[in-house]
């Protein structure tokens, strides 16, 4: 299943001419492209799908999404993917 995972932007930077961010997903930090979310700023929560932030969301929605993933049993799979582990 394809999932969008909520995370919080900790840092914005440029890489190879692209607007990127270091995003914290519950302790796992990943470099994420934020070109598709031009309004994204440090401290914002974003939904990330396959390394791309697809929308900016508020903290309440981020927590709701995270809890929905946890309750559906898909959170551990998503966290493994963020860590680069095989399913």
């Amino acid at each position: 299943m394809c999932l969008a995972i909520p995370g919080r932007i900790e840092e914005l930077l440029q890489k190879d001419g692209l607007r990127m961010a270091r995003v914290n997903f519950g302790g796992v930090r990943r470099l994420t492209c934020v070109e598709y979310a031009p309004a994204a700023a440090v401290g914002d929560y974003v939904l990330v799908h396959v390394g791309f932030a697809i929308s900016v969301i508020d903290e309440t929605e981020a927590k709701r999404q995270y809890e929905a993933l946890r309750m559906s049993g898909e959170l551990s799979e998503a966290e493994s993917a963020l860590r680069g582990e095989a399913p």
Side-chain angles (χ1 to χ4, degrees), residues 43-70:
D44 284 347
Y45 287 85
V46 288
L47 283 178
V48 177
H49 177 66
V50 294
F52 292 86
I54 55 175
S55 65
V56 177
I57 58 175
D58 63 29
E59 183 176 6
T60 301
E61 180 62 16
K63 288 179 180 178
R64 190 186 74 73
Q65 292 283 334
Y66 193 83
E67 182 62 17
L69 288 170
R70 188 188 67 73

